[in-house]
Amino acid sequence: MANRLARESSPYLLQHKDNPVDWYPWGEEAFRKAQEEDKPILLSVGYSACHWCHVMERESFEDDAIAAFMNEHFVNVKVDREERPDVDSLYMSAVQAMTGSGGWPMTVFLTPEGAPFYAGTYFPREPRGGMPGFLQVLASVADAYENRREEVLRSAGSVRDYLRRAVEAAMPEGTPGVSLLERAGEELTSEIDRRLGGFGGAPKFPQPMNLEFLLRYHLRTGSEEALSGVELTLEAMARGGIYDQLGGGFHRYSVDARWLVPHFEKMLYDNALLSRLYLDAYRLTGRDLYRRVAGETLDYVAREMTSPEGGFYSSEDADSEGEEGRFYVWSVREIRDVLTPGEAHLAEVYWGVSERGNFEGKNILHVPRPPEEVARELGISPEELGRRVEEIRTKLLAARGRRVRPGRDEKILVAWNGLMLRSFALASRVLGREDYLEIARRNAAFLLEKARPDGRLRRSYKDGRAGEVPGYLEDYACLVEGLLALHEATLEPRWLVEARDLAEEMVALFWEEDEGRFYDAHAGHQELIARPRDLYDNATPSGNSVATGVLLELSLLLDRPDYREKAERVLSSMSGAMEKVPGAFGWLLSVLDFYLADPCEVAVIGEPGAEDTGELLRAMGSRYLPHRVVAGRSPRDERAAALSPLLEGREARGGRATAYVCRNYACQSPTTDPDELLRQLGG
């Protein structure tokens, strides 16, 4: 018989609906039951694509004896961390404080009031490797709550007080100046692995926000060391197993230091951030590898991760048919069954395929040697090699498509969709892909219509309805950022209007005037033991960082000095922390770089969709020019002129699309020539 999770929409919660555990979703019902029956709460947090979450479910939550003990001694609450980032962030802080590390699945024991007193991550069914068995943990916690209550309550009170102090603590302030950027750039550059790329050792994460900042640092200082470190990393990832060589798109991280063996789950946000990074690197260097990887990644999202309505799904699992990575790996025989002998030989040489394999007897496809070297060995040109690899890739991808696919989390999260919306909008200009622009338009229209059914933005959407959880700061900020990118790509006023209105709502809901920063959840959101505020850029940029960036852009586009003042307060209040641990603030460092660059303002007056307008937009898209904002309108749309001071009094010269470039309150001559526009922009 299904438990209460059967009524939920989250794919992760639905995965647990048939467990013998009497699961509750997070909410008043669970806490009321805990208080009435004087039982502690067992909080289990994970997400749909989490491999070890699936392992713990199979080992423990599907075990009748363990479930019976859980049901007798605890009120059991299951949370999808992607749906409730506030709950996840707050209790992850507790786990890290109590254990020194964190991760998912996250297992936290709470008092009926929600204060944590014992915590961990994955627990095996039986004791192993120095870890206690889960039933041992349950019995110990139940005994402590029953027989050593005062000790439990003291521990819970200490952790609760710690969490409240951590949220309310002031960050060390400093001066958000150029010297901070230079020190951060020097430190991050020095931390790059000069042999294998990336930062640190195994497991190795892509860290696209830190790499994005280093591109800006190179642009600001001319540091070739920074640029070479970024390029080494981008090439190593693109040739490694972390990148899906057949289907495009990136896996979550590499379990080794050389990017070969990935943790095979694919997350929407990783592919949004990495596609943008590769697009920017392509614009800066002109290297075709970066253009190809960005396009293949976005093609993967369009093909496999886009709903019929236009929303982007959250993730794909690492596992299929009960095995991690099974969908992605190949034996020599499997390759030879699909290809001709000549094609198979080329594939085996190019992708490093062997009888021995590189992953549990099979092969993760990767490119172990430079393609130019492979072409020389095969006696063909690099161009011919590229053409033949593409033909082989098409055949292998079709064969792989007949396998059982990993599970897909079809929950649509607004924040992650906003990140991907920005990438598609940007790529439409950089790569000249009208299909990408249509995908971006559909996504924006879908989010604005379906994710705010009563006028207020929600966190998620699935199965034809928006979720009940209100939107968080990151949902508002990332959607505003995506809409601004879409306005820049189309010059359609609608997207600027929607961005303006959502930003106004964002400030009203999340801004804390006394502290000069944003909270993650608005004051009317369901109350937790502390109001969450995550200021660090982790796997995704913090809502605080993105919100600060969009306020700076809107301050220029809309002439809103109050927005600039708020952004300045955030940057000042966070500057000490950025200086101390720059690796935790990659996105915010890029925002600071934008702020200190005296960005230029570009107005384009031209018919949206017209060829001459497109020429100007493509010119701007062809160069890496992160220090500018763009507004535009049709010369016939007088109402749109009132949207932004940049658009007032501007006209199309000689009936052709015209660009106006201004910086530091001074404007250059209007131009209809794309080359002259680039010259004025410094590109």
Side-chain angles (χ1 to χ4, degrees):
M1 181 177 176
N3 55 46
R4 290 169 182 80
L5 300 185
R7 300 193 295 265
E8 298 298 307
S9 62
S10 158
Y12 175 66
L13 299 187
L14 290 171
Q15 286 170 0
H16 294 267
K17 68 181 177 62
D18 295 317
N19 295 165
V21 177
D22 185 17
W23 289 116
Y24 284 75
W26 181 274
E28 292 181 7
E29 183 183 7
F31 283 89
R32 185 167 57 249
K33 178 180 173 66
Q35 291 167 356
E36 290 172 353
E37 299 184 9
D38 191 24
K39 289 182 177 179
I41 289 171
L42 191 166
L43 173 64
S44 176
V45 182
Y47 59 102
S48 177
C50 167
H51 171 70
W52 288 103
C53 298
H54 299 323
V55 173
M56 192 166 178
E57 179 188 18
R58 288 196 299 268
E59 291 180 343
S60 296
F61 302 147
E62 293 179 352
D63 183 279
D64 289 332
I66 291 178
F69 193 93
M70 291 171 66
N71 295 338
E72 180 180 356
H73 294 281
F74 301 93
V75 175
N76 305 293
V77 176
K78 180 61 82 169
V79 167
D80 182 340
R81 67 172 293 260
E82 297 167 355
E83 217 172 39
R84 291 302 304 261
D86 54 339
V87 174
D88 176 65
S89 173
L90 184 67
Y91 289 106
M92 183 58 75
S93 296
V95 173
Q96 291 169 334
M98 297 166 81
T99 70
S101 62
W104 299 275
M106 176 167 63
T107 309
V108 192
F109 296 90
L110 318 176
T111 68
E113 293 72 38
F117 61 89
Y118 186 79
T121 53
Y122 163 78
F123 291 104
R125 187 185 188 284
E126 305 292 341
R128 71 167 183 263
M131 289 189 291
F134 190 47
L135 195 57
Q136 285 180 299
V137 172
L138 295 173
S140 176
V141 171
D143 177 71
Y145 191 80
E146 183 67 29
N147 299 311
R148 300 192 302 279
R149 183 71 60 88
E150 287 188 11
E151 179 184 327
V152 166
L153 294 179
R154 279 198 303 273
S155 174
S158 296
V159 177
R160 182 187 59 239
D161 292 344
Y162 164 80
L163 293 174
R164 288 175 176 170
R165 288 195 305 271
V167 168
E168 295 165 1
M171 289 279 191
E173 292 203 19
T175 303
V178 171
S179 60
L180 191 161
L181 291 179
E182 291 176 347
R183 285 192 295 272
E186 290 168 2
E187 182 170 334
L188 289 173
T189 299
S190 71
E191 292 174 358
I192 291 175
D193 179 344
R194 288 288 162 179
R195 189 168 67 90
L196 301 171
F199 300 91
K204 189 168 275 186
F205 290 80
Q207 300 194 38
M209 289 172 279
N210 288 340
L211 295 169
E212 181 79 44
F213 168 67
L214 286 180
L215 288 183
R216 294 181 181 229
Y217 173 67
H218 162 75
L219 203 65
R220 175 177 287 275
T221 66
S223 170
E224 291 301 323
E225 188 179 9
L227 180 59
S228 66
V230 174
E231 290 212 69
L232 172 65
T233 303
L234 295 186
E235 182 164 351
M237 289 195 298
R239 288 171 49 184
I242 192 173
Y243 182 66
D244 182 353
Q245 299 292 330
L246 298 183
F250 288 86
H251 300 292
R252 179 71 190 92
Y253 62 87
S254 174
V255 301
D256 59 6
R258 58 194 182 104
W259 307 107
L260 173 60
V261 180
H263 189 43
F264 287 92
E265 67 198 49
K266 284 182 173 179
M267 310 300 297
L268 182 69
Y269 58 78
D270 284 319
N271 287 288
L273 295 169
L274 285 165
S275 58
R276 175 177 170 178
L277 174 63
Y278 275 84
L279 287 168
D280 286 346
Y282 168 62
R283 292 194 290 172
L284 183 62
T285 68
R287 287 195 63 188
D288 187 67
L289 172 67
Y290 306 150
R291 177 202 59 76
R292 177 175 63 80
V293 169
E296 289 174 358
T297 299
L298 293 171
D299 287 344
Y300 154 71
V301 173
R303 184 180 66 247
E304 306 291 353
M305 297 291 284
T306 304
S307 76
E309 295 175 282
F312 302 125
Y313 298 135
S314 293
S315 63
E316 287 193 300
D317 285 358
D319 303 4
S320 58
E321 300 182 83
E323 294 181 22
E324 184 177 9
R326 178 168 182 161
F327 180 74
Y328 297 100
V329 297
W330 294 81
S331 67
V332 170
R333 173 52 52 199
E334 287 170 330
I335 286 176
R336 292 176 182 175
D337 285 345
V338 175
L339 304 175
T340 67
E343 290 173 333
H345 175 67
L346 188 151
E348 290 163 26
V349 173
Y350 183 78
W351 280 307
V353 175
S354 67
E355 292 283 357
R356 181 181 179 183
N358 55 31
F359 179 74
E360 299 178 358
K362 289 199 171 184
N363 292 273
I364 299 167
L365 301 187
H366 68 304
V367 184
R369 293 187 293 159
E372 297 79 9
E373 183 180 316
V374 175
R376 282 196 301 272
E377 178 181 318
L378 297 174
I380 58 178
S381 69
E383 293 74 21
E384 176 67 9
L385 175 66
R387 185 186 65 77
R388 291 175 63 180
V389 165
E390 187 59 30
E391 291 174 353
I392 292 169
R393 177 173 172 259
T394 300
K395 288 186 177 182
L396 292 178
L397 185 61
R400 195 179 78 177
R402 294 189 285 272
R403 297 177 177 177
V404 176
R405 290 195 67 88
R408 183 171 63 191
D409 185 335
E410 296 187 353
K411 175 174 76 268
I412 294 166
L413 296 171
V414 172
W416 299 4
N417 271 245
L419 294 175
M420 187 56 76
L421 167 60
R422 181 171 186 126
S423 286
F424 271 108
L426 174 64
S428 71
R429 295 186 296 110
V430 176
L431 305 181
R433 293 279 298 266
E434 285 298 316
D435 56 330
Y436 287 173
L437 190 58
E438 184 54 33
I439 289 169
R441 279 197 185 99
R442 287 188 67 228
N443 179 253
F446 163 79
L447 294 172
L448 293 169
E449 178 185 354
K450 300 294 187 179
R452 50 179 188 181
D454 55 3
R456 181 63 62 84
L457 195 65
R458 304 292 177 84
R459 169 67 173 172
S460 64
Y461 177 93
K462 187 176 180 292
D463 294 336
R465 63 185 178 93
E468 296 299 320
V469 178
Y472 295 93
L473 172 65
E474 67 172 359
D475 297 305
Y476 280 83
C478 291
L479 180 52
V480 170
E481 186 182 57
L483 292 170
L484 290 176
L486 185 55
H487 172 70
E488 181 175 333
T490 63
L491 305 187
E492 294 164 358
R494 174 189 177 184
W495 313 120
L496 182 56
V497 170
E498 296 284 9
R500 178 197 65 189
D501 294 348
L502 280 168
E504 194 71 17
E505 191 174 330
M506 176 184 77
V507 170
L509 289 172
F510 303 102
W511 178 252
E512 175 53 53
E513 182 63 29
D514 290 342
E515 299 183 34
R517 278 182 297 211
F518 291 93
Y519 278 100
D520 293 340
H522 63 77
H525 204 284
Q526 182 181 5
E527 187 174 349
L528 302 176
I529 59 171
R531 190 178 177 189
R533 180 168 58 191
D534 186 0
L535 301 173
Y536 299 99
D537 299 323
N538 294 307
T540 57
S542 77
N544 198 71
S545 297
V546 183
T548 304
V550 298
L551 287 189
L552 283 174
E553 289 188 50
L554 288 168
S555 72
L556 295 167
L557 290 168
L558 306 179
D559 190 22
R560 290 289 301 266
D562 57 322
Y563 281 179
R564 182 176 178 86
E565 180 185 344
K566 286 179 171 58
E568 288 171 340
R569 290 188 64 190
V570 173
L571 293 171
S572 293
S573 68
M574 299 295 294
S575 58
M578 282 191 278
E579 187 166 6
K580 189 174 182 180
V581 279
F585 296 100
W587 198 277
L588 193 60
L589 285 166
S590 291
V591 172
L592 176 59
D593 173 71
F594 178 86
Y595 168 74
L596 294 173
D598 292 323
C600 63
E601 304 152 2
V602 184
V604 179
I605 310 301
E607 290 296 341
E611 179 56 29
D612 56 345
T613 305
E615 288 176 358
L616 295 177
L617 295 179
R618 285 191 294 273
M620 286 190 287
S622 70
R623 300 289 191 274
Y624 183 53
L625 302 167
H627 306 135
R628 51 109 185 92
V629 296
V630 178
R633 66 172 176 87
S634 163
R636 297 178 291 106
D637 190 348
E638 292 300 326
R639 286 193 307 168
L643 270 176
S644 168
L646 299 183
L647 302 176
E648 291 178 358
R650 312 290 196 189
E651 60 183 23
R653 296 294 180 94
R656 288 187 56 79
T658 305
Y660 297 77
V661 178
C662 304
R663 182 184 276 112
N664 291 328
Y665 309 103
C667 297
Q668 301 190 50
S669 299
T671 182
T672 61
D673 178 43
D675 292 334
E676 172 60 18
L677 172 59
L678 285 176
R679 189 196 67 76
Q680 292 185 11
L681 290 169

